[in-house]
Amino acid sequence: ADLTWLTELPKAQAQAKAEGKLVLMDFTGSDFCSSCIRLHKEVFPAKEFAAFAKERLVLVELDFPQKKQQPDALKAANEALAKEFKVDGYPTLILLAADGKKLGEVEFDVFDASAKEMVAAIEKVAKQAKP
């Protein structure tokens, strides 16, 4: 199941509002952070996560690569969001309500969280949201 990862938070929020979903922001270092690479290779594509995400989440990838080139506007937008949400390392997953309110940071074992554990961790944060 191919998941769609947006790269612009405003678009993601508009989609989340329209579809009644939550926004999952993934602050990642796609080309150097081994835990980030593992999440995108093993956890996010896994059946349990993909099915949950399709139903409940709008996914946003906020990438901070070291080697990969990015448009300046995207880089600036990502840096502003990292500052706003006080991100100090990768991977950092933050769950937002459709209106942009931060529900919390998703806590998981970066080295060996499974797709099932990731869904449980997101559910735990989502419970704090008003339906």
Side-chain angles (χ1 to χ4, degrees), residues 7-14 23 25 60 62 81 84-85 96:
T7 54
E8 295 169 48
L9 185 58
K11 275 188 184 158
Q13 284 174 301
V23 175
M25 296 193 298
V60 185
L62 302 158
L81 287 167
E84 179 185 343
F85 290 99
L96 303 178

Side-chain angles (χ1 to χ4, degrees), residues 5-6 23-29 36 39-40 44 59-64 78 90-94 108:
W5 288 86
L6 301 176
V23 175
L24 182 68
M25 296 193 298
D26 173 27
F27 289 86
T28 184
C36 302
L39 283 179
H40 279 269
F44 296 146
L59 304 169
V60 185
E61 181 183 72
L62 302 158
D63 196 8
F64 296 83
N78 289 357
Y90 314 112
T92 296
L93 300 178
I94 294 176
F108 61 97

